[in-house]
Amino acid sequence: MGQGLRSSCVCNRVACDTQCLVASGASLFCPRVACLLLTLAQKFGVKFDGKIKINLHLTRQEMASMIGTASETLIRSISEFKHQGILEQQGNLILIKDITKLKKLTS
């Protein structure tokens, strides 16, 4: 499953292999995290209340290992995406509120 997720990712692998980028100001995000969320949404997403619910229960460590990053990086990125209004969380469930903004973070 992990290899398929990586190969279907829309982001540029070379660019994504670099350290996480500085978005605006001191905010950090990792394009690989955005890419992973898009891939999971495409494969397991369910429309729910105007959002896309990723209908898959994964730990943050499992998600981080899928894209070869530290769980701390993944957590920081998810926090930044929540701050930007791109997604929200309900326990372990992730709800994507703005798929267009998320796609822009992968380029």
Side-chain angles (χ1 to χ4, degrees):
M1 179 167 92
Q3 187 64 23
L5 290 175
R6 276 188 234 129
S7 64
S8 66
C9 189
V10 294
C11 69
N12 181 331
R13 184 70 181 158
V14 173
C16 289
D17 279 340
T18 60
Q19 287 293 345
C20 288
L21 305 174
V22 176
S24 58
S27 300
L28 295 175
F29 73 89
C30 185
R32 285 185 285 172
V33 176
C35 187
L36 173 66
L37 292 172
L38 286 171
T39 302
L40 291 176
Q42 182 181 35
K43 291 186 179 227
F44 305 104
V46 176
K47 292 194 185 229
F48 174 77
D49 197 24
K51 303 166 188 141
I52 299 173
K53 177 174 82 169
I54 297 176
N55 203 19
L56 186 66
H57 295 273
L58 294 170
T59 67
R60 300 301 173 245
Q61 183 59 50
E62 289 170 330
M63 290 173 69
S65 68
M66 287 177 170
I67 56 173
T69 194
S71 58
E72 294 83 4
T73 300
L74 181 114
I75 291 166
R76 270 195 309 270
S77 296
I78 287 175
S79 293
E80 179 63 26
F81 299 158
K82 289 191 311 193
H83 177 72
Q84 292 180 18
I86 295 170
L87 59 86
E88 65 183 60
Q89 286 182 276
Q90 293 178 356
N92 272 354
L93 289 178
I94 295 176
L95 297 148
I96 299 173
K97 297 166 57 176
D98 192 332
I99 195 96
T100 304
K101 282 185 184 177
L102 190 61
K103 285 179 182 177
K104 287 180 182 177
L105 295 176
T106 65
S107 54

